[in-house]
Amino acid sequence: AGGAERVVGLVLAPHYSGFSVGQYHERARAASGEVPFVGIESWHLEPAYVSFLADAVRRARADLPERHKVLFTAHSLPERVLVGDPYPDQLRDGAAAVAAEVGLDPWADWSIGWQSAGRTPEPWRGPDILEVIRALAGTGRSDGILVCPHGFVADHLEVVYDLDIEAAGVAADVGLAFARTDVVNDDPAV
C-alpha cells in the first residue's frame, strides 16, 4: 500500500555462527518466498549493546567482593562447526569491548567461558563455565565471580538454569560469591 514494500527481517543472537544464526537465516529466506528477506548476521559491537552490557557489569560488580573475576559466556558449539566460523572471535571481540568500556584488565579481571554444551560424544568449545568456577576457586585469588552471558539476549532456560541454578550452585559449593548480569530482555527501555 502506498508503494511500501514488505520485507521479512530477522535479528537473532549478537554473534554470528553459521551453525545457528546462519541456519535460521537460510530457513527464513527459503520460507519468505518472493518477499525480500533481510537477516542481521551480527551486532556484537553495536555501541548500544556494548554500553548496555558495560552498565550491567558495573551494576552487578557493586554487590560482589572486591576480589572477583568477570566471566563472559556464550553457548558452546561443537568444535567441528567452529572451523573457519567467526563465532569465537566475535565473542572474544565483544567481551573485550565491554571489558574496555568498564575498565577491566585483560585476563586478570576477565575471561571467557562457555556454557550449555550438548551432551554428545564430540568435543564442544570450552572451557565450560563450571570448570572455570572450580579452577578460579582453586587459585585462591578471587572471592567471587560475575557472569555476563553476552551471547544471550533473553532470560531463557540456558541462562536461568545453567547460570542461576547450576553455576551459582557450583560457586556456592567452592565458596565464591556469584552474580549474573541482566540480559537485554530485562531492560524496560529496550
Side-chain angles (χ1 to χ4, degrees):
E5 183 177 330
R6 286 185 23 184
V7 175
V8 174
L10 186 58
V11 179
L12 297 167
H15 310 89
Y16 178 83
S17 171
F19 188 71
S20 57
V21 173
Q23 286 185 18
Y24 286 117
H25 283 184
E26 286 176 25
R27 292 176 190 154
R29 188 173 286 109
S32 69
E34 293 185 25
V35 178
F37 171 81
V38 177
I40 306 299
E41 289 192 353
S42 63
W43 46 278
H44 61 287
L45 296 177
E46 172 63 37
Y49 186 59
V50 171
S51 180
F52 169 83
L53 291 174
D55 289 344
V57 167
R58 286 186 199 100
R59 282 191 308 275
R61 289 182 76 202
D63 295 330
L64 284 173
E66 184 176 336
R67 292 183 338 143
H68 66 270
K69 188 156 190 155
V70 178
L71 183 67
F72 293 91
T73 66
H75 201 295
S76 180
L77 291 175
E79 287 290 346
R80 68 177 164 76
V81 304
L82 293 176
V83 175
D85 196 277
Y87 185 65
D89 291 336
Q90 287 186 3
L91 291 163
R92 190 175 322 100
D93 294 346
V98 174
E101 188 166 321
V102 174
L104 301 173
D105 291 329
W107 310 122
D109 293 335
W110 69 274
S111 63
I112 294 174
W114 301 84
Q115 64 179 83
S116 310
R119 306 285 187 239
T120 65
E122 67 185 310
W124 285 61
R125 180 58 55 106
D128 182 81
I129 183 172
L130 304 180
E131 295 169 15
V132 173
I133 293 170
R134 289 182 187 106
L136 181 62
T139 68
R141 294 187 305 241
S142 185
D143 299 315
I145 186 164
L146 170 62
V147 177
C148 177
H150 77 306
F152 300 92
V153 294
D155 285 316
H156 55 67
L157 183 64
E158 291 167 331
V159 172
V160 176
Y161 180 79
D162 291 357
L163 299 179
D164 297 351
I165 295 173
E166 210 171 32
V170 170
D173 289 346
V174 297
L176 292 177
F178 179 89
R180 175 182 62 86
T181 62
D182 295 332
V183 292
V184 173
N185 78 287
D186 284 336
D187 189 346
V190 175

